[in-house]
Coordinates of all heavy atoms in Angstrom, one line a residue:
M8 N -13.8 -48.4 -66.6 CA -12.5 -47.6 -66.4 C -12.0 -47.8 -65.0 O -12.7 -47.6 -64.0 CB -12.9 -46.1 -66.7 CG -11.7 -45.2 -66.4 SD -12.2 -43.5 -66.7 CE -11.0 -43.1 -67.9
P9 N -10.7 -48.3 -64.9 CA -10.2 -48.5 -63.6 C -10.0 -47.2 -62.8 O -9.8 -46.1 -63.4 CB -8.8 -49.1 -63.9 CG -8.7 -49.2 -65.4 CD -9.9 -48.6 -66.0
R10 N -10.1 -47.3 -61.5 CA -9.9 -46.2 -60.6 C -8.4 -45.9 -60.4 O -7.6 -46.8 -60.3 CB -10.6 -46.4 -59.3 CG -12.1 -46.5 -59.3 CD -12.6 -46.7 -58.0 NE -14.1 -46.8 -58.1 CZ -14.9 -46.9 -57.1 NH1 -14.4 -46.9 -55.8 NH2 -16.2 -47.0 -57.3
T11 N -8.1 -44.6 -60.2 CA -6.8 -44.3 -59.8 C -6.6 -44.4 -58.3 O -7.6 -44.6 -57.6 CB -6.5 -42.8 -60.2 OG1 -7.3 -42.0 -59.4 CG2 -6.7 -42.5 -61.7
D12 N -5.3 -44.4 -57.9 CA -5.1 -44.6 -56.5 C -5.7 -43.4 -55.7 O -6.2 -43.6 -54.6 CB -3.6 -44.6 -56.2 CG -3.2 -45.1 -54.8 OD1 -3.8 -46.2 -54.4 OD2 -2.5 -44.4 -54.1
E13 N -5.7 -42.2 -56.3 CA -6.3 -41.1 -55.6 C -7.8 -41.3 -55.5 O -8.4 -40.9 -54.4 CB -6.0 -39.8 -56.5 CG -6.0 -38.5 -55.8 CD -5.5 -37.4 -56.7 OE1 -6.4 -36.9 -57.4 OE2 -4.3 -37.1 -56.7
Q14 N -8.5 -41.9 -56.5 CA -9.9 -42.1 -56.4 C -10.2 -43.2 -55.3 O -11.2 -43.1 -54.6 CB -10.4 -42.6 -57.8 CG -10.5 -41.5 -58.8 CD -10.8 -42.0 -60.2 OE1 -10.3 -43.0 -60.6 NE2 -11.6 -41.2 -60.9
W15 N -9.3 -44.2 -55.3 CA -9.5 -45.2 -54.2 C -9.3 -44.6 -52.8 O -10.1 -45.0 -51.9 CB -8.5 -46.4 -54.4 CG -8.8 -47.3 -55.5 CD1 -8.1 -47.6 -56.6 CD2 -10.0 -48.2 -55.5 NE1 -8.8 -48.6 -57.4 CE2 -9.9 -49.0 -56.7 CE3 -11.0 -48.5 -54.7 CZ2 -10.8 -49.9 -57.1 CZ3 -12.0 -49.4 -55.0 CH2 -11.9 -50.1 -56.2
Q16 N -8.4 -43.7 -52.7 CA -8.2 -43.1 -51.4 C -9.4 -42.3 -51.0 O -9.8 -42.3 -49.8 CB -6.9 -42.2 -51.4 CG -5.6 -43.0 -51.4 CD -4.4 -42.1 -51.5 OE1 -4.4 -40.9 -51.4 NE2 -3.3 -42.7 -51.8
R17 N -9.9 -41.5 -51.9 CA -11.1 -40.7 -51.6 C -12.3 -41.6 -51.3 O -13.0 -41.3 -50.3 CB -11.5 -39.8 -52.9 CG -12.5 -38.8 -52.6 CD -12.6 -37.8 -53.7 NE -11.4 -37.7 -54.5 CZ -11.3 -37.9 -55.8 NH1 -12.4 -38.1 -56.5 NH2 -10.2 -37.8 -56.5
T18 N -12.5 -42.7 -52.0 CA -13.6 -43.6 -51.7 C -13.4 -44.2 -50.3 O -14.4 -44.4 -49.6 CB -13.7 -44.7 -52.8 OG1 -13.9 -44.1 -54.1 CG2 -14.8 -45.7 -52.5
A19 N -12.2 -44.6 -50.0 CA -11.9 -45.2 -48.7 C -12.3 -44.2 -47.6 O -12.9 -44.6 -46.6 CB -10.4 -45.6 -48.5
M20 N -12.0 -42.9 -47.8 CA -12.3 -41.9 -46.8 C -13.8 -41.8 -46.7 O -14.4 -41.7 -45.6 CB -11.7 -40.6 -47.2 CG -12.0 -39.5 -46.2 SD -11.4 -37.8 -46.7 CE -12.6 -37.5 -48.1
Y21 N -14.5 -41.8 -47.8 CA -16.0 -41.7 -47.7 C -16.6 -42.9 -47.0 O -17.6 -42.7 -46.2 CB -16.6 -41.6 -49.2 CG -16.2 -40.3 -49.9 CD1 -16.2 -40.4 -51.3 CD2 -15.9 -39.2 -49.3 CE1 -15.9 -39.2 -52.0 CE2 -15.6 -38.0 -50.0 CZ -15.6 -38.0 -51.4 OH -15.3 -36.9 -52.1
V22 N -16.1 -44.1 -47.3 CA -16.7 -45.3 -46.7 C -16.4 -45.3 -45.2 O -17.3 -45.6 -44.4 CB -16.2 -46.6 -47.4 CG1 -16.7 -47.8 -46.7 CG2 -16.6 -46.6 -48.8
R23 N -15.2 -44.9 -44.8 CA -14.9 -44.8 -43.4 C -15.7 -43.8 -42.7 O -16.2 -44.0 -41.6 CB -13.4 -44.5 -43.2 CG -13.1 -44.5 -41.7 CD -11.6 -44.1 -41.4 NE -10.8 -45.2 -41.6 CZ -9.5 -45.2 -41.4 NH1 -8.9 -44.1 -41.1 NH2 -8.8 -46.3 -41.6
H24 N -16.0 -42.7 -43.3 CA -16.8 -41.6 -42.8 C -18.3 -42.2 -42.5 O -18.8 -42.0 -41.5 CB -16.8 -40.4 -43.7 CG -17.6 -39.3 -43.2 ND1 -17.2 -38.5 -42.1 CD2 -18.8 -38.7 -43.6 CE1 -18.1 -37.6 -41.8 NE2 -19.1 -37.7 -42.7
A25 N -18.8 -42.9 -43.5 CA -20.1 -43.5 -43.4 C -20.1 -44.5 -42.2 O -21.1 -44.5 -41.4 CB -20.6 -44.1 -44.7
Y26 N -19.1 -45.3 -42.1 CA -19.0 -46.3 -41.1 C -19.0 -45.5 -39.7 O -19.7 -45.9 -38.8 CB -17.7 -47.1 -41.2 CG -17.4 -48.0 -40.0 CD1 -18.1 -49.2 -39.9 CD2 -16.5 -47.6 -39.1 CE1 -17.9 -50.0 -38.8 CE2 -16.3 -48.4 -38.0 CZ -17.0 -49.6 -37.8 OH -16.7 -50.4 -36.7
N27 N -18.2 -44.5 -39.6 CA -18.2 -43.7 -38.3 C -19.5 -43.2 -37.9 O -19.8 -43.1 -36.8 CB -17.2 -42.5 -38.5 CG -15.8 -43.0 -38.2 OD1 -15.5 -44.0 -37.7 ND2 -14.8 -42.1 -38.7
K28 N -20.4 -42.9 -38.9 CA -21.7 -42.3 -38.6 C -22.6 -43.4 -38.0 O -23.5 -43.1 -37.3 CB -22.4 -41.7 -39.9 CG -21.7 -40.5 -40.4 CD -21.8 -39.4 -39.5 CE -21.2 -38.1 -40.0 NZ -21.3 -37.0 -39.1
L29 N -22.4 -44.7 -38.4 CA -23.2 -45.8 -37.9 C -22.7 -46.5 -36.7 O -23.4 -47.3 -36.1 CB -23.5 -46.8 -39.1 CG -24.3 -46.3 -40.2 CD1 -24.4 -47.4 -41.3 CD2 -25.7 -45.8 -39.8
S30 N -21.4 -46.5 -36.5 CA -20.8 -47.4 -35.5 C -20.6 -46.7 -34.2 O -20.5 -45.5 -34.1 CB -19.4 -47.8 -36.1 OG -18.7 -48.6 -35.2
V31 N -20.4 -47.5 -33.2 CA -20.0 -47.0 -31.9 C -18.6 -46.7 -31.8 O -18.1 -45.9 -30.9 CB -20.4 -48.0 -30.7 CG1 -21.9 -48.2 -30.7 CG2 -19.7 -49.3 -30.9
R32 N -17.8 -47.3 -32.7 CA -16.3 -47.0 -32.7 C -16.2 -45.7 -33.6 O -16.6 -45.7 -34.7 CB -15.6 -48.1 -33.4 CG -15.5 -49.3 -32.6 CD -14.7 -50.5 -33.3 NE -14.0 -50.1 -34.5 CZ -13.5 -50.9 -35.3 NH1 -13.7 -52.2 -35.2 NH2 -12.9 -50.5 -36.4
D33 N -15.5 -44.7 -33.1 CA -15.3 -43.5 -33.9 C -13.8 -43.4 -34.2 O -13.0 -43.3 -33.4 CB -15.7 -42.3 -33.1 CG -15.8 -41.0 -34.0 OD1 -16.0 -41.2 -35.2 OD2 -15.7 -39.9 -33.4
L34 N -13.5 -43.6 -35.5 CA -12.1 -43.6 -35.9 C -11.9 -42.3 -36.8 O -12.8 -41.9 -37.5 CB -11.8 -44.8 -36.8 CG -11.9 -46.1 -36.0 CD1 -11.7 -47.3 -36.9 CD2 -10.8 -46.2 -34.9
P35 N -10.7 -41.8 -36.8 CA -10.4 -40.7 -37.7 C -10.5 -41.1 -39.1 O -10.4 -42.3 -39.5 CB -8.9 -40.3 -37.3 CG -8.4 -41.5 -36.7 CD -9.5 -42.2 -36.0
L36 N -10.7 -40.2 -40.0 CA -10.9 -40.5 -41.4 C -9.6 -41.1 -42.0 O -9.7 -41.8 -43.0 CB -11.3 -39.3 -42.2 CG -12.7 -38.8 -42.0 CD1 -13.1 -37.6 -42.8 CD2 -13.7 -39.9 -42.2
C37 N -8.5 -40.8 -41.4 CA -7.2 -41.4 -41.9 C -6.3 -41.6 -40.7 O -6.1 -40.6 -39.9 CB -6.5 -40.5 -42.9 SG -5.2 -41.3 -43.8
L38 N -5.8 -42.8 -40.5 CA -4.9 -43.0 -39.4 C -3.5 -42.7 -39.9 O -3.2 -42.6 -41.1 CB -5.0 -44.5 -39.0 CG -6.3 -45.0 -38.5 CD1 -6.3 -46.5 -38.3 CD2 -6.6 -44.3 -37.2
P39 N -2.6 -42.4 -38.9 CA -1.2 -42.0 -39.3 C -0.6 -43.0 -40.3 O -0.7 -44.2 -40.0 CB -0.5 -42.0 -38.0 CG -1.6 -41.7 -37.0 CD -2.8 -42.4 -37.5
G40 N -0.1 -42.5 -41.4 CA 0.6 -43.4 -42.3 C -0.2 -44.1 -43.3 O 0.3 -44.8 -44.2
E41 N -1.5 -43.9 -43.2 CA -2.4 -44.6 -44.2 C -2.4 -43.9 -45.5 O -2.3 -42.7 -45.5 CB -3.9 -44.7 -43.7 CG -4.1 -45.8 -42.7 CD -5.5 -45.9 -42.3 OE1 -6.3 -45.0 -42.5 OE2 -5.9 -47.0 -41.9
P42 N -2.6 -44.6 -46.6 CA -2.7 -46.0 -46.7 C -1.4 -46.7 -46.9 O -1.3 -47.9 -46.8 CB -3.6 -46.2 -47.9 CG -3.2 -45.1 -48.8 CD -2.9 -43.9 -47.9
K43 N -0.3 -46.0 -47.1 CA 0.9 -46.6 -47.6 C 1.7 -47.3 -46.5 O 2.2 -48.4 -46.7 CB 1.8 -45.5 -48.2 CG 1.1 -44.8 -49.3 CD 1.9 -44.8 -50.6 CE 1.3 -44.0 -51.7 NZ 0.1 -44.4 -52.2
E44 N 1.9 -46.7 -45.3 CA 2.7 -47.3 -44.2 C 2.2 -48.6 -43.7 O 3.0 -49.4 -43.2 CB 2.9 -46.3 -43.1 CG 3.9 -45.2 -43.5 CD 4.1 -44.2 -42.3 OE1 3.9 -44.6 -41.2 OE2 4.5 -43.1 -42.6
C45 N 0.9 -48.9 -43.8 CA 0.4 -50.1 -43.2 C 0.6 -51.3 -44.2 O 0.4 -52.4 -43.8 CB -1.1 -50.0 -42.9 SG -2.2 -49.9 -44.3
G46 N 1.0 -51.0 -45.4 CA 1.3 -52.0 -46.4 C 0.1 -52.4 -47.2 O 0.2 -53.3 -48.1
Q47 N -1.0 -51.8 -47.0 CA -2.2 -52.1 -47.8 C -2.5 -50.9 -48.8 O -2.2 -49.8 -48.5 CB -3.4 -52.3 -47.0 CG -3.4 -53.5 -46.1 CD -4.6 -53.8 -45.3 OE1 -5.4 -52.9 -45.1 NE2 -4.8 -55.0 -44.9
S48 N -3.0 -51.3 -49.9 CA -3.3 -50.3 -50.9 C -4.6 -49.5 -50.6 O -5.4 -50.0 -49.7 CB -3.5 -50.9 -52.3 OG -4.7 -51.7 -52.3
A49 N -4.9 -48.4 -51.2 CA -6.1 -47.7 -51.0 C -7.3 -48.6 -51.4 O -8.4 -48.5 -50.7 CB -6.1 -46.4 -51.8
Q50 N -7.2 -49.4 -52.4 CA -8.3 -50.3 -52.8 C -8.6 -51.3 -51.7 O -9.7 -51.6 -51.4 CB -7.9 -51.0 -54.1 CG -9.0 -51.9 -54.5 CD -8.7 -52.7 -55.8 OE1 -7.5 -52.6 -56.3 NE2 -9.7 -53.3 -56.4
Q51 N -7.5 -51.8 -51.0 CA -7.7 -52.7 -49.9 C -8.4 -52.0 -48.7 O -9.2 -52.6 -48.0 CB -6.4 -53.3 -49.5 CG -5.8 -54.3 -50.4 CD -4.4 -54.7 -50.1 OE1 -3.6 -53.9 -49.9 NE2 -4.2 -56.0 -50.0
H52 N -8.1 -50.7 -48.5 CA -8.8 -50.0 -47.5 C -10.3 -49.8 -47.8 O -11.2 -49.9 -46.9 CB -8.2 -48.6 -47.3 CG -6.9 -48.6 -46.5 ND1 -5.7 -49.0 -47.0 CD2 -6.7 -48.4 -45.2 CE1 -4.8 -48.9 -46.0 NE2 -5.4 -48.6 -44.9
V53 N -10.6 -49.6 -49.1 CA -12.0 -49.5 -49.5 C -12.7 -50.8 -49.1 O -13.8 -50.8 -48.6 CB -12.2 -49.2 -51.0 CG1 -13.6 -49.4 -51.5 CG2 -11.7 -47.8 -51.3
L54 N -12.1 -51.9 -49.5 CA -12.7 -53.2 -49.2 C -12.9 -53.5 -47.7 O -14.0 -53.9 -47.3 CB -11.9 -54.4 -49.9 CG -11.8 -54.3 -51.4 CD1 -10.8 -55.3 -51.9 CD2 -13.2 -54.5 -52.0
L55 N -11.9 -53.1 -46.9 CA -12.0 -53.3 -45.5 C -13.1 -52.5 -44.9 O -13.9 -53.0 -44.1 CB -10.6 -52.9 -44.9 CG -10.6 -52.8 -43.3 CD1 -10.8 -54.2 -42.7 CD2 -9.4 -52.1 -42.9
W56 N -13.1 -51.2 -45.2 CA -14.1 -50.3 -44.6 C -15.5 -50.6 -45.2 O -16.5 -50.5 -44.5 CB -13.7 -48.9 -44.9 CG -12.6 -48.5 -44.0 CD1 -11.3 -48.3 -44.3 CD2 -12.7 -48.4 -42.5 NE1 -10.5 -48.0 -43.2 CE2 -11.3 -48.1 -42.1 CE3 -13.7 -48.5 -41.6 CZ2 -11.1 -47.9 -40.7 CZ3 -13.4 -48.4 -40.3 CH2 -12.1 -48.1 -39.8
A57 N -15.6 -51.1 -46.4 CA -16.9 -51.5 -47.0 C -17.5 -52.7 -46.2 O -18.7 -52.7 -45.9 CB -16.8 -51.8 -48.4
A58 N -16.6 -53.6 -45.8 CA -17.1 -54.8 -45.0 C -17.5 -54.3 -43.7 O -18.5 -54.8 -43.1 CB -15.9 -55.8 -44.9
D59 N -16.8 -53.4 -43.0 CA -17.2 -52.9 -41.7 C -18.5 -52.1 -41.8 O -19.3 -52.2 -41.0 CB -16.1 -51.9 -41.2 CG -14.9 -52.7 -40.5 OD1 -15.1 -53.9 -40.1 OD2 -13.8 -52.1 -40.4
L60 N -18.6 -51.3 -42.9 CA -19.9 -50.6 -43.1 C -21.1 -51.5 -43.3 O -22.1 -51.3 -42.7 CB -19.7 -49.6 -44.3 CG -21.0 -48.8 -44.7 CD1 -21.4 -47.9 -43.5 CD2 -20.7 -48.0 -45.9
K61 N -20.9 -52.6 -44.1 CA -21.9 -53.5 -44.3 C -22.3 -54.2 -42.9 O -23.5 -54.4 -42.7 CB -21.5 -54.6 -45.3 CG -22.6 -55.6 -45.6 CD -22.1 -56.6 -46.7 CE -23.1 -57.6 -47.0 NZ -22.7 -58.6 -48.0
A62 N -21.3 -54.5 -42.1 CA -21.6 -55.1 -40.8 C -22.4 -54.2 -39.9 O -23.3 -54.6 -39.2 CB -20.3 -55.6 -40.2
A63 N -21.9 -52.9 -39.9 CA -22.6 -51.9 -39.1 C -24.0 -51.7 -39.5 O -24.9 -51.6 -38.7 CB -21.8 -50.6 -39.1
A64 N -24.3 -51.7 -40.8 CA -25.6 -51.5 -41.3 C -26.5 -52.7 -41.0 O -27.7 -52.5 -40.5 CB -25.6 -51.3 -42.8
H65 N -25.9 -53.9 -41.1 CA -26.7 -55.1 -40.7 C -27.0 -55.1 -39.2 O -28.2 -55.4 -38.8 CB -25.9 -56.3 -41.1 CG -26.6 -57.6 -41.0 ND1 -27.2 -58.2 -42.1 CD2 -27.0 -58.4 -39.9 CE1 -27.8 -59.3 -41.7 NE2 -27.7 -59.4 -40.4
H66 N -26.1 -54.7 -38.4 CA -26.3 -54.6 -37.0 C -27.4 -53.6 -36.6 O -28.2 -53.8 -35.8 CB -25.0 -54.3 -36.3 CG -25.1 -54.3 -34.8 ND1 -25.3 -55.4 -34.0 CD2 -25.0 -53.2 -33.9 CE1 -25.4 -55.1 -32.7 NE2 -25.2 -53.8 -32.6
L67 N -27.4 -52.5 -37.3 CA -28.4 -51.4 -37.2 C -29.8 -52.0 -37.5 O -30.8 -51.7 -36.8 CB -28.1 -50.2 -38.0 CG -29.1 -49.1 -38.0 CD1 -29.1 -48.5 -36.5 CD2 -28.7 -48.0 -39.0
I68 N -29.9 -52.8 -38.6 CA -31.2 -53.4 -38.9 C -31.6 -54.3 -37.8 O -32.8 -54.3 -37.4 CB -31.0 -54.1 -40.3 CG1 -30.9 -53.1 -41.4 CG2 -32.3 -55.0 -40.5 CD1 -30.5 -53.8 -42.8
E69 N -30.7 -55.2 -37.3 CA -31.1 -56.1 -36.3 C -31.6 -55.4 -35.0 O -32.5 -55.8 -34.4 CB -29.9 -57.0 -36.0 CG -29.6 -58.0 -37.1 CD -28.4 -58.8 -36.8 OE1 -27.5 -58.5 -35.9 OE2 -28.2 -59.9 -37.4
E70 N -30.9 -54.3 -34.7 CA -31.3 -53.6 -33.4 C -32.5 -52.8 -33.6 O -33.2 -52.5 -32.6 CB -30.1 -52.6 -33.0 CG -29.0 -53.3 -32.4 CD -28.0 -52.4 -31.8 OE1 -27.9 -51.2 -32.3 OE2 -27.3 -52.8 -30.8
S71 N -32.8 -52.3 -34.8 CA -33.9 -51.4 -35.1 C -35.3 -52.1 -35.4 O -36.3 -51.5 -35.2 CB -33.6 -50.4 -36.2 OG -32.4 -49.7 -35.9
A72 N -35.2 -53.3 -36.0 CA -36.4 -54.0 -36.4 C -37.2 -54.4 -35.2 O -36.7 -54.8 -34.2 CB -36.0 -55.2 -37.2
P73 N -38.6 -54.3 -35.4 CA -39.4 -54.6 -34.3 C -39.5 -56.2 -34.0 O -39.9 -56.6 -32.9 CB -40.8 -54.1 -34.7 CG -40.7 -53.9 -36.1 CD -39.3 -53.7 -36.5
S74 N -39.1 -56.9 -35.0 CA -39.2 -58.4 -34.8 C -38.1 -59.1 -35.6 O -37.5 -58.4 -36.5 CB -40.6 -58.9 -35.3 OG -40.6 -58.8 -36.7
H75 N -37.8 -60.3 -35.3 CA -36.8 -61.1 -36.1 C -37.2 -61.2 -37.5 O -36.4 -61.1 -38.4 CB -36.7 -62.5 -35.4 CG -35.7 -63.3 -36.2 ND1 -34.4 -63.1 -36.1 CD2 -35.9 -64.4 -37.0 CE1 -33.8 -64.0 -36.9 NE2 -34.7 -64.8 -37.4
E76 N -38.5 -61.4 -37.8 CA -39.0 -61.5 -39.2 C -38.8 -60.2 -40.0 O -38.4 -60.2 -41.1 CB -40.5 -61.9 -39.2 CG -40.8 -63.3 -38.7 CD -40.8 -63.4 -37.2 OE1 -40.9 -62.3 -36.4 OE2 -40.6 -64.5 -36.7
D77 N -39.0 -59.1 -39.3 CA -38.8 -57.8 -40.0 C -37.3 -57.6 -40.3 O -36.9 -57.2 -41.4 CB -39.2 -56.6 -39.1 CG -40.8 -56.5 -39.1 OD1 -41.4 -56.8 -40.2 OD2 -41.3 -56.0 -38.1
A78 N -36.4 -58.0 -39.3 CA -35.0 -57.9 -39.5 C -34.6 -58.8 -40.7 O -33.8 -58.4 -41.5 CB -34.2 -58.3 -38.2
A79 N -35.1 -60.0 -40.7 CA -34.8 -60.9 -41.8 C -35.2 -60.3 -43.2 O -34.5 -60.5 -44.2 CB -35.4 -62.3 -41.6
Y80 N -36.3 -59.7 -43.2 CA -36.8 -59.1 -44.5 C -35.9 -58.0 -44.9 O -35.4 -57.9 -46.0 CB -38.2 -58.5 -44.3 CG -38.7 -57.7 -45.5 CD1 -39.0 -58.3 -46.7 CD2 -38.7 -56.3 -45.4 CE1 -39.3 -57.5 -47.8 CE2 -39.0 -55.5 -46.4 CZ -39.3 -56.1 -47.7 OH -39.7 -55.3 -48.7
Y81 N -35.6 -57.0 -44.0 CA -34.7 -55.9 -44.4 C -33.3 -56.3 -44.7 O -32.7 -55.7 -45.6 CB -34.8 -54.8 -43.3 CG -36.1 -54.1 -43.2 CD1 -37.0 -54.3 -42.3 CD2 -36.4 -53.1 -44.2 CE1 -38.3 -53.7 -42.3 CE2 -37.6 -52.4 -44.2 CZ -38.5 -52.7 -43.2 OH -39.7 -52.1 -43.2
A82 N -32.8 -57.2 -43.9 CA -31.4 -57.6 -44.1 C -31.2 -58.7 -45.2 O -30.2 -58.9 -45.7 CB -30.8 -58.2 -42.8
G83 N -32.4 -59.3 -45.6 CA -32.3 -60.3 -46.6 C -33.0 -59.9 -47.9 O -32.3 -59.4 -48.8
T84 N -34.3 -60.1 -47.9 CA -35.1 -59.9 -49.2 C -34.9 -58.5 -49.7 O -34.5 -58.3 -50.9 CB -36.6 -60.1 -48.9 OG1 -36.7 -61.4 -48.4 CG2 -37.4 -59.9 -50.2
L85 N -35.1 -57.5 -48.9 CA -35.0 -56.1 -49.4 C -33.5 -55.8 -49.8 O -33.3 -55.1 -50.8 CB -35.5 -55.1 -48.3 CG -35.5 -53.6 -48.8 CD1 -36.5 -53.5 -50.0 CD2 -35.9 -52.7 -47.6
Y86 N -32.6 -56.2 -49.0 CA -31.1 -56.0 -49.3 C -30.8 -56.6 -50.7 O -30.2 -55.9 -51.5 CB -30.3 -56.7 -48.2 CG -28.8 -56.7 -48.6 CD1 -28.0 -55.6 -48.5 CD2 -28.3 -57.9 -49.2 CE1 -26.7 -55.7 -48.9 CE2 -27.0 -58.0 -49.6 CZ -26.1 -56.9 -49.4 OH -24.8 -56.9 -49.8
W87 N -31.2 -57.8 -50.9 CA -30.9 -58.4 -52.2 C -31.6 -57.7 -53.4 O -31.0 -57.6 -54.4 CB -31.2 -59.9 -52.2 CG -30.2 -60.7 -51.3 CD1 -30.4 -61.2 -50.1 CD2 -28.8 -60.9 -51.6 NE1 -29.3 -61.8 -49.6 CE2 -28.3 -61.6 -50.6 CE3 -28.0 -60.6 -52.7 CZ2 -26.9 -62.0 -50.5 CZ3 -26.7 -60.9 -52.7 CH2 -26.2 -61.6 -51.6
D88 N -32.8 -57.2 -53.1 CA -33.5 -56.5 -54.2 C -32.7 -55.2 -54.5 O -32.5 -54.8 -55.7 CB -34.9 -56.1 -53.7 CG -35.9 -57.3 -53.7 OD1 -35.5 -58.4 -54.3 OD2 -37.0 -57.2 -53.1
K89 N -32.3 -54.5 -53.4 CA -31.6 -53.2 -53.6 C -30.2 -53.5 -54.3 O -29.8 -52.7 -55.2 CB -31.3 -52.5 -52.3 CG -32.6 -52.2 -51.5 CD -33.2 -51.0 -52.2 CE -34.4 -50.5 -51.3 NZ -35.1 -49.4 -51.9
L90 N -29.5 -54.6 -53.9 CA -28.3 -54.9 -54.5 C -28.4 -55.3 -56.0 O -27.6 -54.9 -56.9 CB -27.6 -56.1 -53.8 CG -26.2 -56.5 -54.3 CD1 -25.2 -55.4 -54.2 CD2 -25.8 -57.7 -53.5
S91 N -29.5 -55.9 -56.3 CA -29.8 -56.3 -57.7 C -30.0 -55.0 -58.6 O -29.5 -54.9 -59.7 CB -31.0 -57.2 -57.8 OG -31.3 -57.5 -59.1
V92 N -30.7 -54.0 -58.0 CA -30.9 -52.8 -58.8 C -29.6 -52.1 -59.0 O -29.3 -51.6 -60.1 CB -31.9 -51.9 -58.0 CG1 -31.9 -50.5 -58.6 CG2 -33.3 -52.5 -58.0
L93 N -28.7 -52.0 -57.9 CA -27.4 -51.4 -58.1 C -26.6 -52.1 -59.1 O -25.9 -51.4 -59.9 CB -26.7 -51.4 -56.7 CG -27.1 -50.5 -55.7 CD1 -26.4 -50.8 -54.3 CD2 -26.9 -49.0 -56.1
R94 N -26.6 -53.4 -59.1 CA -25.8 -54.2 -60.1 C -26.3 -53.9 -61.5 O -25.5 -53.7 -62.5 CB -25.8 -55.7 -59.8 CG -25.0 -56.0 -58.6 CD -25.2 -57.5 -58.3 NE -24.3 -57.9 -57.2 CZ -24.4 -59.0 -56.5 NH1 -25.4 -59.8 -56.8 NH2 -23.6 -59.3 -55.5
D95 N -27.6 -53.9 -61.7 CA -28.2 -53.7 -63.0 C -27.8 -52.3 -63.5 O -27.5 -52.1 -64.7 CB -29.7 -53.8 -63.0 CG -30.2 -55.2 -62.8 OD1 -29.4 -56.2 -63.0 OD2 -31.4 -55.4 -62.5
S96 N -27.9 -51.3 -62.6 CA -27.6 -49.9 -63.0 C -26.1 -49.8 -63.4 O -25.7 -49.2 -64.3 CB -27.9 -49.0 -61.8 OG -27.4 -47.7 -62.1
S97 N -25.2 -50.5 -62.6 CA -23.8 -50.5 -62.9 C -23.5 -51.1 -64.2 O -22.6 -50.6 -65.0 CB -23.0 -51.2 -61.8 OG -21.7 -51.2 -62.0
E98 N -24.1 -52.2 -64.5 CA -23.9 -52.9 -65.8 C -24.4 -52.0 -67.0 O -23.7 -52.0 -68.0 CB -24.7 -54.2 -65.8 CG -24.0 -55.3 -64.9 CD -24.9 -56.6 -64.8 OE1 -25.9 -56.7 -65.6 OE2 -24.5 -57.4 -64.0
R99 N -25.5 -51.3 -66.8 CA -26.0 -50.5 -67.9 C -25.0 -49.3 -68.1 O -24.8 -48.9 -69.3 CB -27.4 -49.9 -67.6 CG -28.5 -50.9 -67.9 CD -29.8 -50.2 -67.9 NE -30.2 -49.6 -66.6 CZ -30.7 -50.3 -65.6 NH1 -31.0 -51.5 -65.7 NH2 -31.0 -49.7 -64.5
Q100 N -24.4 -48.8 -67.1 CA -23.5 -47.7 -67.2 C -22.2 -48.1 -67.9 O -21.6 -47.3 -68.6 CB -23.1 -47.1 -65.9 CG -24.3 -46.3 -65.3 CD -23.9 -45.7 -63.9 OE1 -22.9 -45.9 -63.4 NE2 -24.9 -44.9 -63.4
S101 N -21.7 -49.3 -67.6 CA -20.5 -49.8 -68.2 C -20.7 -50.4 -69.6 O -19.7 -50.6 -70.3 CB -19.8 -50.9 -67.3 OG -20.7 -52.0 -67.3
A102 N -21.9 -50.5 -70.1 CA -22.2 -51.1 -71.4 C -22.1 -50.0 -72.5 O -22.1 -48.8 -72.3 CB -23.5 -51.7 -71.5

């Protein structure tokens, strides 16, 4: 089922909020005129902030891991395992 613009806006706010919790950059949950005045849709905001959130999480792993090998495991092997579980769960829900 496709998301409504309202659902995309809410998701964008949640993702930006999560990003703010992990990042050194603290941005308001909504900038003036968002999402309409900047010319991007709420869905595009979700994609933008999700990419920023993924980068912030990856950076957190790199800074927190005791070794390069541990960082590679958490950002690589474990990440792909977790993503696979999410995809499988999503496929089962949509079936």
Side-chain angles (χ1 to χ4, degrees):
M8 172 181 241
R10 292 184 182 184
T11 65
D12 194 51
E13 210 172 81
Q14 290 169 320
W15 282 116
Q16 288 177 13
R17 192 171 333 127
T18 301
M20 183 187 69
Y21 293 155
V22 175
R23 181 183 279 182
H24 183 69
Y26 172 78
N27 278 340
K28 294 292 184 181
L29 292 180
S30 178
V31 294
R32 290 179 11 193
D33 192 26
L34 297 173
L36 290 181
C37 194
L38 295 172
E41 280 187 338
K43 305 236 184 295
E44 285 182 22
C45 71
Q47 294 183 337
S48 69
Q50 182 180 9
Q51 288 170 309
H52 280 84
V53 168
L54 296 170
L55 168 71
W56 286 108
D59 280 338
L60 178 59
K61 183 177 178 180
H65 191 99
H66 183 68
L67 179 62
I68 290 170
E69 290 176 340
E70 285 190 331
S71 302
S74 70
H75 177 72
E76 292 77 18
D77 286 328
Y80 169 75
Y81 287 103
T84 304
L85 186 60
Y86 168 81
W87 287 108
D88 289 347
K89 300 286 185 180
L90 183 58
S91 178
V92 169
L93 286 172
R94 287 175 174 163
D95 289 346
S96 174
S97 179
E98 287 174 9
R99 279 194 299 273
Q100 288 179 355
S101 63

